[in-house]
Amino acid sequence: MTKKVVRLSDVALAAGTSAKTASRVINGDPRVSVETRQRVEEAVVRLGYRVDLLARSLRRGVDDTIGVIVESIADPFFAAVISEIELAALRRGLNVIVASNRRLPNREATIVDTLQQRRVAGLIITPHTADLSYLAATSTPVVFVDRHPKNFPADVVVFDDRGGARTAVRHLIRHGHERIAFVSDDLEIETSRNRYAGYVDALTESGLPVVGEIVATDCAEARAARARTSQFLDLDEPPTAIFSARSETSLGVVKVLHDRARTDIAVVSFGDFALADVLSPAITVLEHSPELLGTLAVERLFARLDGTCGDPVKTVIPLRLVTRGSGEIVAPSKPALVDVVPPIDDPFALRVAPRAGNSRR
């Protein structure tokens, strides 16, 4: 048998009130007496009434939901970002729909279109490579996290990837290292590209060459990083230090060094990872908080939802070098320069500025 659909009018009748008053109670309107509210709430439970979300979104023009698109839901970094967004949304009475683009440009655009068709109130997106210029025609508020969108001026919250990488490599150079390997993901990805630029900056300012045979930019996962690290160590002149530009690649790098008992190789990881602080030596990291990234992104989206106008804003989150031991290993036969090199000018202060068009670092 088909179960009868309970309508708002049924709830109003059972509660002895008007449909308008019943609707106010269900939508949390405070302009209802305690007694009336109790009668309506009891009728809702007794009759098993469910709000028609589609009808509500059609009336309002948008749903009580925000969409979040990241590269991978399984990635611990993005999982932490999502968690903070969800907590903030729940406090505001909003739902969250999460999807991953899986690094597929076509899928990325399809997900954005699908969420817009669902009339989401706003979007938070970690873009991959899709051209999102068509979003300029939509009224849906959009905030981008971790990377800039292609051809679309919008609010964006990012880390100082280039400055952080430069700080990490400078740190290794100050400990006497001249042959420093670089391990990262594809340079088509903005974060990897910026971290590589910081690596090159530090070498260049110190008069050191960029040696292609110890640069790996094809490590999308730990397994690839393991293979490339092994290749580096097997060279006639292996690197004395390694800068790993992702937590995922760091897992591969550290595994190889541990297996070969190479505690003489200095390591700095861009991003922390599980047990990094209990290894011997513990891993020196550039600390970047996914929780802060998620918080600042959702706060920016809420500002747009509340009617904040004005030019797009770019928020840059600084990075902090956490020294634990692996990054402080001195290069063989090289005196450390820690005591003679002047302090590095890397201000650890949040920078927020209007964006001029679609500027990219």
Side-chain angles (χ1 to χ4, degrees):
M1 294 179 62
T2 303
K3 186 176 180 179
K4 179 184 175 182
V5 176
V6 179
R7 303 184 184 280
L8 181 63
S9 57
D10 299 322
V11 174
L13 181 62
T17 187
S18 68
K20 185 175 182 179
T21 299
S23 177
R24 283 179 175 174
V25 172
I26 291 169
N27 286 291
D29 192 323
R31 296 173 297 174
V32 181
S33 69
V34 174
E35 181 185 354
T36 300
R37 181 179 302 279
Q38 184 175 354
R39 291 204 315 270
V40 172
E41 290 175 347
E42 288 175 351
V44 166
V45 174
R46 185 169 68 255
L47 298 177
Y49 175 73
R50 294 291 182 269
V51 177
D52 187 336
L53 296 178
L54 178 58
R56 174 189 283 184
S57 67
L58 289 173
R59 288 194 302 271
R60 295 183 176 180
V62 295
D63 197 0
D64 293 331
T65 301
I66 60 174
V68 179
I69 305 173
V70 297
E71 186 174 283
S72 172
I73 298 172
D75 187 309
F77 177 83
F78 288 118
V81 172
I82 293 167
S83 179
E84 289 302 308
I85 293 172
E86 185 177 42
L87 285 173
L90 288 173
R91 287 193 291 267
R92 193 181 169 100
L94 295 173
N95 300 308
V96 179
I97 296 177
V98 181
S100 56
N101 60 42
R102 312 301 296 183
R103 297 190 171 202
L104 301 172
N106 291 338
R107 175 174 168 80
E108 183 173 23
T110 299
I111 294 172
V112 171
D113 290 340
T114 299
L115 290 175
Q116 284 197 297
Q117 289 172 19
R118 293 187 59 132
R119 299 172 182 267
V120 293
L123 290 166
I124 296 176
I125 302 173
T126 298
H128 183 50
T129 58
D131 185 338
L132 299 175
S133 57
Y134 68 91
L135 284 175
T138 183
S139 60
T140 305
V142 185
V143 174
F144 292 89
V145 294
D146 202 39
R147 304 163 193 169
H148 295 80
K150 278 190 176 181
N151 306 318
F152 178 49
D155 293 324
V156 61
V157 182
V158 294
F159 289 109
D160 185 10
D161 292 308
R162 185 168 185 167
R166 186 166 54 241
T167 295
V169 179
R170 281 172 171 171
H171 184 73
L172 293 169
I173 293 171
R174 292 171 66 196
H175 285 81
H177 298 280
E178 297 181 354
R179 194 168 170 82
I180 303 169
F182 177 81
V183 184
S184 84
D185 203 346
D186 192 336
L187 297 188
E188 284 294 313
I189 298 173
E190 179 187 348
T191 48
S192 296
R193 188 166 61 250
N194 286 336
R195 294 166 194 178
Y196 177 70
Y199 166 80
V200 173
D201 288 343
L203 293 178
T204 301
E205 70 185 20
S206 297
L208 298 174
V210 177
V211 182
E213 67 176 357
I214 55 172
V215 171
T217 58
D218 55 357
C219 301
E221 55 187 19
R223 179 174 56 184
R226 288 200 302 269
R228 298 292 265 141
T229 303
S230 293
Q231 291 174 8
F232 293 164
L233 297 184
D234 290 338
L235 292 170
D236 291 337
E237 188 180 356
T240 62
I242 300 174
F243 172 52
S244 174
R246 293 177 65 224
S247 299
E248 181 73 14
T249 54
S250 297
L251 291 171
V253 170
V254 170
K255 178 68 165 62
V256 173
L257 296 179
H258 176 77
D259 289 347
R260 297 196 181 196
R262 293 299 303 269
T263 56
D264 58 324
I265 305 290
V267 178
V268 175
S269 169
F270 197 113
D272 212 345
F273 55 93
L275 302 181
D277 58 340
V278 299
L279 296 172
S280 183
I283 306 302
T284 294
V285 300
L286 276 170
E287 186 178 69
H288 64 330
S289 168
E291 293 82 7
L292 179 58
L293 185 72
T295 296
L296 293 176
V298 76
E299 286 178 352
R300 191 62 201 158
L301 182 64
F302 289 166
R304 290 296 183 186
L305 292 177
D306 291 336
T308 299
C309 299
D311 295 332
V313 172
K314 175 181 177 179
T315 304
V316 181
I317 304 173
L319 297 159
R320 184 170 70 95
L321 187 68
V322 180
T323 57
R324 293 174 176 159
S326 71
E328 294 66 60
I329 296 171
V330 177
S333 305
K334 294 284 185 178
L337 303 179
V338 176
D339 295 329
V340 297
V341 174
I344 298 170
D345 182 20
D346 278 316
F348 292 136
L350 189 65
R351 301 197 297 279
V352 181
R355 294 190 60 203
N358 188 37
S359 61
R360 295 172 66 93
R361 287 181 292 159

